[in-house]
Amino acid sequence: MEQNATAVELSGITKRFPGIVANDGISFKLRKGEIHALLGENGAGKSTLMNILFGLYQPDEGEIRVNGMPTVIDGPSKAIELGIGMVHQHFKLVQPFTVAENIVLGSEPSKGGVINLKQANEKVKRLSEQYRLQVDPNMRIEDITVGMQQRVEILKTLYRGADILIFDEPTAVLTVQEIEELLEILRSLAAEGKSIIIITHKLKEVMALSNSVTVIRRGKVVGTVETKSTNERALAELMVGRSVSLQTEKSRREVGKVIFAAKDLQMKSNQNKLVLNGVSLEIRAGEILGIAGVDGNGQSELVQAITGMVKLSGGQVSINGKDITNQSPRQTGLAGISHIPEDRHKHGLVLDFTLSENVVLGNYFQKPFNNGGFLKYEEMDKLAHKLTTEFDVRSSGIHTHARSLSGGNQQKAIIARELWRNPSLLIAVQPTRGLDIGAIEYVQQRLRQARDEGKAILLISFELDELFELSDRIAVMYEGRIVGEVDPLNRDNQRLGMLMAGDTNA
Amino acid sequence: MESPEKQYNKALGKGIKIFTKSSSLVPIVAIILGLITGALVMLAGGYNPLVAYGALFGKLIESPYDIGETIRAITPLIFTGLSVAFAFRTGLFNIGAEGQFVMGMLGATLIGVKLDLPWFIHAPLAMVGGAVLGGIWAGIVGYLKAKRGVNEVISSIMMNWIGLYFANYVIGTWLSEKGQQKSNEVHESASWSIGWLSEMMDHARMHGGTIVALICVFLFYILLWKTKQGYELRAVGLNPDAAHYAGMNVGRTVVKSMFIAGAFAGLGGAFEVLGVFGYQTISSASPGYGFDGIAVSLLGGNTPVGILLAAILFGGLTYGSGGMSFEADVPTEVVRIVIGAIIFFIASHGIVRMVMKPFSFRRNKPTDGSKEASRT
């Protein structure tokens, strides 16, 4: 009986932003005690819908019922009052405060204006035991792992008495083990009678975790199904709107001459430690070289060295036979290196520039964009039009700020720009991180296409599946060295694992 | 083809949009709230605010002389407002416009007093001298930031004092007669005064600097939004990391930006010497135009037209305060309270929006301001 009671019901929710309908008549029902996945591509409108439920946005049309009662949620405090809690993708925690201080923040147990920290610690302890969410109340946020920070966020909502929990892409920032732990936590929360909405685009998690799934595409609900009566492929097709290939054919390919060569690269860190310790690489035309390895073994430094962001202390880098060792980023760019950076917000785009200003970020000083010191906006607009059409970058126009685009569209814009520059060598670092299936498929297809056109590609990724999927060769990095190569056509996980752990005998 | 009526409506809609966009409505409401605050203070002090404000605004247009002097008071604020805003657009907070202004005065005084050249060389040279000295003064701050990571707020405040005392020293040692508290007069050939216009305005101190200020407002726009250099400056201001990735030299851009900002302030100082006073005094405190420039850029939203309008408001209020104290016997300091209150309300959008709420009918506003698709 409890199982069928409705915790939240949204009916006919519509939310418009200038030039875009983010939610178009969405109806959605969350039963008590269930885990309901909200599945959709980036920019489909999942987060907007949940922000409406949490009171951050007001819907233009539609009705919200919580526990059967029609309500207007005009702010997060109203949502909290109704027992709705949200765990955001980017945590909202005070770094120098302790776990307990963060949890009680806003409703501290106090006496005469003085916070009773002892009582706070005890409350937090009790709560963490009740829900088996392991945290140390006395640790500072800045000293604990990302997984534990997330548990603190969950405890924060529980402390405020939330019965309905919204999780926005909760696994995006976690390691493999942490994801396992989180899934366990969510299951036990549901068993305790909490109703849970999880926003995601990862099909594996949907299948492993949820009771039912609502799929959103371009602001509309395209289907609500019971998880046990569906499968990954069906969901993927529902989400993207067409059939998708989750696996591609691979074969050995012919490659051309050496485009890029790095010899014995050495780089010292600020602590005078060798972060690159004799890396040598060659990439040929029409070849994707993948770099595998645990994060922090010199991958970022390798990219910084090649692009000229940071100076090498030894070694030589050359492209098309031309020495570009320790040249500036401008010069390496002109020599034929394009770069899809790992952090697209920090390094890839100027978020408060328009799309047409962003597409010339690396070329604004050249003709036809620069005409005797003056910018030609018509030329920039023309290019922006061409690239956004060609790469299907969805926005409300080329004069929109890059900030207002979804992550997938931002990434597409960067890839469009970097490929348009017609590089000899394309460096792609985690090119599909945080993207949904549709966008991942698209990005990977574009990279393959660039390879087939004869470009040399250096791919750095922490997703092993992606490396095996795309690469023609895979080199493994460990502590600033290349410790070995594996053949992507004969995947040997055991040998790869040993190499990644630095065992060169493998 | 759209019908004329439709086109008209469209244009009208656009016009309304400009005035109802919260970005331009907030400053207007802030100004009104600031004036009300001033009125409350006057009431508390037993003055009649209506009479006082009447006297203040009446003063601005009382006579040709007053109109001219109001323009004179506005001119330096345009320069310092541009200075602060320019640095701000590159992600720098230039608190040092004050010192750059003083150095601009010094540069103009040096060239105006020490050299004797034909007017068509001397006057422009003295102007450029002020701009360059102001630019260098700010450039030092930029250099320290780029090379050593010194926070520009701290260093530019210190440079204000160094600039003031350095100027005092130079004037006292080389540019004045013994015992005098001011420099010698600049040569007539270096002067930017417009004699016939002053004559027409009852001897108000009219000078060419006002026209240069208007040209600078235009230049500010062209430089930032139309040139390659401006693209670099804005990119560095908005996201230095991405700018570096894109191959821009962030350090050099910071120095350039500060130099240009300082040159704007320096120009303001130069015209105070070349157009208004004809000499520079040894003073224990700097004139304050640089600090008011911060207020001007803030109220003007760091946009060229906004800065011009804000400078007109603050310059007008400052000059009109004289009339207010003369006619209504209200202390001139009340105007400083008004200006302070305006800045306070600008800085606290929330209060202004709360006041505006009952007056605005429901619109589908973007929740995120960045969704506004515009270049400026």
Side-chain angles (χ1 to χ4, degrees):
Chain A
M1 191 196 80
E2 261 297 291
Q3 193 66 23
N4 289 324
T6 305
V8 172
E9 187 174 359
L10 304 174
S11 39
I13 298 286
T14 296
K15 177 72 187 171
R16 299 181 195 90
F17 290 119
I20 211 161
V21 182
N23 287 165
D24 189 356
I26 288 188
S27 296
F28 170 87
K29 201 185 271 183
L30 174 69
R31 287 175 312 219
K32 279 204 174 127
E34 77 160 342
I35 299 179
H36 196 131
L38 202 55
L39 183 67
E41 295 192 274
N42 279 326
K46 306 167 299 220
S47 294
T48 306
L49 186 68
M50 287 304 108
N51 284 333
I52 286 173
L53 181 56
F54 195 57
L56 291 165
Y57 293 150
Q58 292 308 307
D60 295 325
E61 286 161 34
E63 192 191 41
I64 304 173
R65 280 167 184 268
V66 179
N67 298 320
M69 300 285 286
T71 38
V72 174
I73 303 175
D74 53 11
S77 51
K78 182 68 187 287
I80 291 166
E81 200 181 296
L82 290 166
I84 301 172
M86 186 154 174
V87 176
H88 296 271
Q89 189 178 355
H90 303 284
F91 304 145
K92 303 186 184 313
L93 297 169
V94 186
Q95 292 287 331
F97 276 22
T98 66
V99 168
E101 283 168 337
N102 265 287
I103 291 172
V104 301
L105 192 72
S107 45
E108 307 87 354
S110 63
K111 202 172 167 189
V114 181
I115 297 178
N116 189 341
L117 273 182
K118 217 174 183 179
Q119 203 186 331
N121 279 357
E122 265 163 36
K123 275 190 169 180
V124 168
K125 214 168 206 167
R126 221 177 310 133
L127 211 56
S128 86
E129 274 160 18
Q130 185 188 344
Y131 292 101
R132 272 165 289 153
L133 287 161
Q134 241 185 5
V135 293
D136 180 346
N138 293 310
M139 292 278 273
R140 284 173 199 280
I141 297 297
E142 54 201 5
D143 297 332
I144 64 178
T145 62
V146 175
M148 196 179 283
Q149 291 185 15
Q150 190 171 49
R151 293 201 285 275
V152 173
E153 282 281 7
I154 299 172
L155 280 170
K156 240 168 84 181
T157 63
L158 294 172
Y159 178 79
R160 283 163 182 70
D163 289 318
I164 299 157
L165 297 170
I166 307 168
F167 289 86
D168 189 1
E169 304 273 2
T171 58
V173 289
L174 301 183
T175 65
V176 184
Q177 292 87 342
E178 285 172 333
I179 290 176
E180 276 309 314
E181 286 171 23
L182 175 71
L183 297 190
E184 210 39 60
I185 290 168
L186 292 179
R187 282 189 201 108
S188 73
L189 283 173
E192 294 261 355
K194 306 281 180 196
S195 318
I196 294 171
I197 302 173
I198 166 171
I199 302 177
T200 185
H201 54 251
K202 294 191 183 165
L203 299 169
K204 285 203 176 79
E205 285 159 22
V206 174
M207 295 308 295
L209 188 65
S210 66
N211 302 106
S212 47
V213 196
T214 294
V215 184
I216 297 182
R217 187 167 76 229
R218 294 200 177 192
K220 284 184 181 153
V221 172
V222 289
T224 300
V225 287
E226 294 298 310
T227 310
K228 50 180 182 285
S229 65
T230 185
N231 59 45
E232 274 187 49
R233 176 167 294 273
L235 285 177
E237 292 185 8
L238 208 52
M239 177 164 108
V240 184
R242 62 189 156 77
S243 62
V244 287
S245 59
L246 298 172
Q247 203 93 50
T248 43
E249 289 290 304
K250 295 204 61 168
S251 60
R252 291 227 187 260
R253 307 181 55 266
E254 289 293 309
V255 290
K257 64 178 171 55
V258 175
I259 295 281
F260 172 79
K263 256 186 232 122
D264 196 25
L265 302 187
Q266 307 216 342
M267 187 195 282
K268 283 191 179 130
S269 71
N270 291 337
Q271 287 83 36
N272 222 17
K273 201 181 140 221
L274 271 178
V275 282
L276 287 183
N277 188 4
V279 174
S280 296
L281 293 172
E282 267 188 6
I283 310 176
R284 291 168 179 274
E287 179 180 55
I288 298 180
L289 173 66
I291 301 279
V294 178
D295 193 4
N297 275 291
Q299 294 94 327
S300 336
E301 286 82 2
L302 178 63
V303 174
Q304 288 170 338
I306 297 171
T307 52
M309 303 289 296
V310 178
K311 292 248 180 303
L312 284 164
S313 50
Q316 198 191 21
V317 187
S318 65
I319 185 158
N320 293 322
K322 190 178 157 220
D323 186 4
I324 54 160
T325 314
N326 282 340
Q327 296 203 338
S328 71
R330 169 72 39 95
Q331 285 164 318
T332 59
L334 292 175
I337 295 181
S338 270
H339 178 198
I340 301 167
E342 180 175 4
D343 187 334
R344 54 180 163 264
H345 288 176
K346 196 170 172 203
H347 296 134
L349 295 165
V350 178
L351 289 176
D352 291 311
F353 266 11
T354 64
L355 269 177
S356 55
E357 283 172 324
N358 265 303
V359 292
V360 297
L361 203 56
N363 297 80
Y364 66 96
F365 55 91
Q366 292 171 322
K367 285 204 173 249
F369 312 112
N370 171 22
N371 187 12
F374 285 87
L375 287 183
K376 289 190 96 174
Y377 277 96
E378 315 89 78
E379 293 293 335
M380 289 159 59
D381 290 353
K382 220 193 286 173
L383 176 65
H385 259 302
K386 180 171 124 84
L387 294 183
T388 49
T389 322
E390 210 173 292
F391 284 76
D392 189 30
V393 180
R394 280 177 221 157
S395 71
S396 38
I398 55 165
H399 293 142
T400 333
H401 286 178
R403 183 184 296 282
S404 65
L405 268 63
S406 68
N409 283 314
Q410 287 173 342
Q411 188 73 342
K412 280 186 194 168
I414 293 173
I415 291 169
R417 178 182 73 205
E418 296 304 323
L419 286 177
W420 167 81
R421 298 176 75 191
N422 196 20
S424 304
L425 172 71
L426 176 67
I427 303 174
V429 187
Q430 298 264 67
T432 60
R433 190 170 76 156
L435 304 187
D436 52 64
I437 294 186
I440 288 174
E441 199 193 15
Y442 187 83
V443 167
Q444 295 188 342
Q445 177 217 327
R446 281 289 180 172
L447 289 179
R448 276 193 208 97
Q449 198 182 323
R451 171 196 62 193
D452 294 344
E453 285 164 9
K455 302 201 186 313
I457 297 178
L458 177 65
L459 172 70
I460 295 177
S461 178
F462 303 120
E463 303 266 347
L464 292 178
D465 289 340
E466 176 167 86
L467 280 176
F468 279 99
E469 179 78 12
L470 285 174
S471 309
D472 299 299
R473 285 190 296 138
I474 296 176
V476 185
M477 248 184 129
Y478 177 74
E479 291 196 337
R481 282 173 299 131
I482 303 283
V483 288
E485 276 201 22
V486 292
D487 182 357
L489 289 185
N490 299 309
R491 184 166 179 170
D492 180 347
N493 276 338
Q494 203 187 349
R495 180 159 173 268
L496 178 67
M498 285 167 78
L499 282 172
M500 284 170 68
D503 187 346
T504 41
N505 297 324
Chain B
M1 211 37 222
E2 283 172 304
S3 70
E5 192 189 359
K6 219 170 174 183
Q7 282 180 349
Y8 173 76
N9 281 338
K10 218 166 147 193
L12 191 71
K14 225 177 187 175
I16 289 171
K17 229 187 200 159
I18 289 168
F19 288 104
T20 52
K21 236 168 68 177
S22 55
S23 60
S24 57
L25 209 54
V26 169
I28 291 169
V29 175
I31 290 165
I32 296 168
L33 288 175
L35 289 172
I36 293 173
T37 307
L40 292 176
V41 170
M42 284 188 252
L43 278 175
Y47 302 103
N48 183 341
L50 289 179
V51 175
Y53 281 136
L56 191 159
F57 292 109
K59 173 77 175 168
L60 303 182
I61 45 166
E62 199 170 82
S63 67
Y65 174 81
D66 290 313
I67 296 173
E69 283 292 303
T70 305
I71 293 171
R72 176 199 58 77
I74 290 166
T75 305
L77 292 178
I78 300 176
F79 283 115
T80 54
L82 289 176
S83 171
V84 177
F86 195 88
F88 195 80
R89 285 284 179 187
T90 318
L92 300 162
F93 200 15
N94 179 19
I95 305 278
E98 192 67 45
Q100 295 142 23
F101 190 88
V102 171
M103 291 309 281
M105 291 172 80
L106 183 65
T109 313
L110 263 174
I111 293 172
V113 171
K114 286 287 175 193
L115 300 182
D116 203 354
L117 298 161
W119 66 267
F120 57 88
I121 299 177
H122 202 179
L125 189 68
M127 172 187 88
V128 170
V132 168
L133 212 53
I136 290 172
W137 212 242
I140 295 171
V141 173
Y143 180 83
L144 289 173
K145 167 119 185 165
K147 287 285 163 206
R148 291 261 156 255
V150 179
N151 185 308
E152 78 276 11
V153 173
I154 311 281
S155 57
S156 62
I157 289 177
M158 296 209 245
M159 292 296 277
N160 284 342
W161 294 101
I162 300 172
L164 178 67
Y165 292 120
F166 179 68
N168 284 348
Y169 174 77
V170 173
I171 298 165
T173 315
W174 287 303
L175 299 174
S176 62
E177 303 301 322
K178 253 202 160 55
Q180 284 283 340
Q181 282 302 298
K182 62 182 176 81
S183 74
N184 297 332
E185 295 266 339
V186 299
H187 289 284
E188 193 54 40
S189 54
S191 170
W192 275 75
S193 298
I194 307 176
W196 57 269
L197 193 60
S198 293
E199 204 73 35
M200 221 165 74
M201 306 293 267
D202 285 349
H203 300 286
R205 292 163 289 178
M206 308 303 293
H207 59 87
T210 309
I211 294 153
V212 178
L214 294 177
I215 293 171
C216 282
V217 171
F218 186 64
L219 267 181
F220 178 94
Y221 170 72
I222 297 291
L223 190 57
L224 276 177
W225 282 284
K226 293 290 166 203
T227 67
K228 165 190 148 243
Q229 187 62 61
Y231 179 89
E232 262 175 31
L233 291 167
R234 285 184 299 128
V236 169
L238 293 168
N239 187 347
D241 290 311
H244 183 41
Y245 257 64
M248 297 175 197
N249 187 330
V250 174
R252 198 188 300 157
T253 308
V254 164
V255 178
K256 264 187 212 167
S257 164
M258 279 309 281
F259 181 87
I260 296 168
F264 278 132
L267 277 175
F271 288 117
E272 282 297 284
V273 171
L274 303 173
V276 181
F277 295 107
Y279 57 82
Q280 188 177 3
T281 55
I282 296 175
S283 42
S284 55
S286 44
Y289 288 120
F291 294 125
D292 284 350
I294 300 168
V296 168
S297 80
L298 197 60
L299 179 64
N302 297 313
T303 59
V305 176
I307 289 162
L308 180 62
L309 294 176
I312 290 173
L313 177 78
F314 286 163
L317 283 176
T318 310
Y319 183 73
S321 66
M324 190 174 77
S325 112
F326 184 72
E327 283 175 43
D329 204 24
V330 178
T332 52
E333 284 79 3
V334 168
V335 161
R336 303 308 301 183
I337 295 177
V338 173
I339 292 177
I342 293 173
I343 296 307
F344 172 80
F345 287 117
I346 285 281
S348 48
H349 302 248
I351 298 176
V352 173
R353 294 235 160 79
M354 206 172 69
V355 173
M356 276 158 63
K357 214 172 177 182
F359 300 106
S360 65
F361 33 93
R362 258 199 95 204
R363 265 187 313 249
N364 287 324
K365 268 191 229 134
T367 353
D368 182 357
S370 64
K371 289 214 163 78
E372 300 266 348
S374 72
R375 257 188 207 129
T376 47

